Amino acid sequence: MQGVSVDIIYLHQYFNTPSMQGSTRSYEMARRLVRRGHRVRMITSWREAGGKRDWSITHEDGIEVHWLPVPYDNSMGYRQRLQAFFRFAWHAGRRASRLPGDVLLATSTPLTIALPAVYASRSRDMPMVFEVRDLWPEMPIAIGALRHPLSIFLARRLERFAYYHAERVVALSPGMRDGVIETGYPPSQITVIPNSCDLELFAPDPSAGERFRALHPELGDDPFLLYAGTLGRVNGVEYLVHLAHALRKRRTRFKCVIIGAGSEARALHEIAMRLGVLDDNLFLYPPRTKQEIVDAFAAADMAASCFIDLPEMEKNSANKFFDALASGTPVAINYGGWQADLLNETGAGLVLSRDPVVAAGQLDDWFGDAEQHAGAGEAALTLARSRFSRDRLAEELEAVLQEAAHDSRVIA
């Protein structure tokens, strides 16, 4: 299928460019598809409140991006989020159904993206590829966001509706693949394409770490653990505040840096103040753009990915985990699953105890071994290059889209 150009309609409600905060997976995949000769029209939302009222179009590195104003942020209540999901679904379906294409790629979350995707796919007689970033409704049920039996029933029906109408499914982890298979979807039509490492963005730059430390002289030259991501309930970042407290009691030079925003930001600030670690050995900074985050990773001695104690989260494919690998930064996580297996197999980081006091001891011991620390950074970069290069994984996504478009033409 190499060399076969396809016209792709790409639906992602929360698409970001590098100048925006949040995951840029869709942008990075789309621009690589454009670079390989395909046309990509992205249908997404503009989340800032005020200003725009109707669709607008921009061109981002060759991607034709259609923006619909639908305000959204992590601090919204569940009902507000649902309203945003369904408002986008209604208008995105109408928009996508008016655009020509060979194949439609829809990425969750939210799972409601299936509604406009299936509508446009059927309207244009165009095959759909559905990308599963989180297992819905498994996750909202697990955290208690979905409780009413009718809501759970409808959510499960929507999940099966999405898979039933998909020519192919892309899952971001082996656990997500298994979850899709459990619904009865054919395993042969599922491809695992995890979050990936942007080796171009995180290319070694000796001045990057220096720039970050120059902006934050309060860090000095002390080693620090970096968390860069959402501060939501499920992320469990309070764990890092208690970890900083435990490290302070051990009188280590090790610091914790948290960069991000979300519904738990105020609570984290209050807990850090109460424990006496705020601006001592724990620092809370507002969100940064993707490029600015690169400098933070370059300066960090270790990067953290954490979640609340929820088995369902072990199937996730956290962006921050792969950004750490791409930057050659050892990774520390406090959960099990396939990412923990990777760290244990390769030595690219450390699986921490869920008990912050025990974890503080683990970090103390680990950083006491300079050779182990250096080897972990090398192992992280090797893992990024050998298994999670974004260029290679974009080629795998390209193949899935081409096969879906080709099979549809053959059947027609």
Side-chain angles (χ1 to χ4, degrees):
M1 298 296 294
Q2 187 174 3
V4 178
S5 177
V6 291
D7 200 337
I8 304 160
I9 296 178
Y10 200 150
L11 271 69
H12 181 197
Q13 187 164 349
Y14 302 122
F15 170 81
N16 295 306
T17 68
S19 64
M20 302 166 70
Q21 299 161 11
S23 167
T24 56
R25 174 185 172 93
S26 294
Y27 163 82
E28 295 296 349
M29 290 297 189
R31 77 179 181 91
R32 283 169 172 79
L33 290 168
V34 168
R35 196 163 61 193
R36 294 178 68 82
H38 309 286
R39 180 168 186 174
V40 180
R41 295 182 181 89
M42 180 72 65
I43 298 179
T44 188
S45 64
W46 181 258
R47 277 88 69 189
E48 299 297 326
K52 301 179 182 180
R53 294 187 176 183
D54 203 354
W55 288 100
S56 60
I57 299 175
T58 64
H59 291 84
E60 314 289 341
D61 286 331
I63 312 162
E64 182 181 297
V65 186
H66 297 240
W67 305 89
L68 174 69
V70 182
Y72 182 91
D73 65 64
N74 187 257
S75 64
M76 282 182 170
Y78 188 64
R79 179 172 294 182
Q80 290 176 300
R81 295 187 191 197
L82 282 179
Q83 290 173 343
F85 296 161
F86 283 105
R87 169 172 158 72
F88 179 78
W90 169 257
H91 291 283
R94 297 176 64 190
R95 188 76 167 190
S97 67
R98 296 170 184 168
L99 298 174
D102 300 310
V103 62
L104 187 147
L105 171 61
T107 185
S108 69
T109 58
L111 186 58
T112 47
I113 199 72
L115 297 174
V118 172
Y119 175 75
S121 172
R122 299 304 98 182
S123 298
R124 304 292 305 187
D125 192 25
M126 176 174 44
M128 178 182 78
V129 174
F130 195 76
E131 182 179 72
V132 181
R133 294 193 180 206
D134 285 305
L135 283 176
W136 277 48
E138 181 178 310
M139 277 307 304
I141 292 172
I143 64 175
L146 280 181
R147 298 179 183 177
H148 194 282
L150 179 59
S151 298
I152 293 173
F153 171 77
L154 292 174
R156 292 199 185 282
R157 289 296 299 268
L158 181 57
E159 177 191 31
R160 283 160 175 75
F161 173 80
Y163 302 151
Y164 177 80
H165 287 92
E167 185 76 20
R168 297 282 193 282
V169 167
V170 172
L172 263 66
S173 76
M176 292 183 197
R177 175 197 59 203
D178 295 342
V180 175
I181 292 172
E182 287 174 7
T183 69
Y185 193 82
S188 61
Q189 291 173 228
I190 305 172
T191 302
V192 176
I193 304 178
N195 271 325
S196 49
C197 298
D198 194 329
L199 296 167
E200 179 182 332
L201 179 64
F202 286 92
D205 177 0
S207 63
E210 295 173 5
R211 282 196 300 268
F212 185 81
R213 286 189 181 270
L215 284 173
H216 300 286
E218 64 275 15
L219 297 176
D221 60 356
D222 291 338
F224 71 86
L225 175 72
L226 170 70
Y227 176 90
T230 303
L231 309 181
R233 177 189 163 199
V234 75
N235 304 101
V237 185
E238 181 182 335
Y239 169 86
L240 298 178
V241 180
H242 289 285
L243 177 61
H245 184 238
L247 287 166
R248 186 168 177 259
K249 283 188 171 182
R250 297 179 70 93
R251 301 183 183 279
T252 70
R253 294 174 55 230
F254 199 73
K255 290 180 168 62
C256 294
V257 170
I258 298 173
I259 300 176
S263 59
E264 299 298 304
R266 178 175 293 181
L268 291 174
H269 188 274
E270 291 173 354
I271 295 168
M273 284 189 66
R274 176 168 53 82
L275 294 177
V277 296
L278 186 64
D279 297 333
D280 179 27
N281 72 327
L282 181 131
F283 298 87
L284 296 171
Y285 300 136
R288 300 288 195 267
T289 66
K290 194 71 173 182
Q291 185 57 56
E292 291 170 323
I293 287 295
V294 170
D295 292 354
F297 274 101
D301 297 87
M302 194 168 221
S305 179
C306 57
F307 292 105
I308 58 175
D309 191 2
L310 199 65
E312 288 80 2
M313 288 306 303
E314 295 183 357
K315 301 173 183 177
N316 98 96
S317 189
N319 282 297
K320 59 187 75 68
F321 180 93
F322 297 93
D323 286 348
L325 297 182
S327 66
T329 307
V331 193
I333 65 175
N334 69 340
Y335 51 89
W338 73 289
Q339 291 176 334
D341 292 340
L342 274 176
L343 296 183
N344 289 330
E345 290 166 9
T346 64
L350 186 62
V351 180
L352 297 174
S353 167
R354 285 204 168 272
D355 182 337
V357 175
V358 176
Q362 288 178 275
L363 285 171
D364 247 1
D365 294 342
W366 197 80
F367 273 96
D369 187 337
E371 185 176 338
Q372 183 181 44
H373 179 225
E378 293 173 5
L381 192 54
T382 297
L383 192 56
R385 290 169 173 165
S386 64
R387 295 179 59 175
F388 300 113
S389 162
R390 187 162 283 164
D391 289 335
R392 184 172 67 81
L393 294 180
E395 289 179 18
E396 293 183 18
L397 179 60
E398 176 190 38
V400 171
L401 294 169
Q402 288 175 321
E403 288 169 8
H406 175 264
D407 290 351
S408 178
R409 289 170 186 158
V410 170
I411 292 172

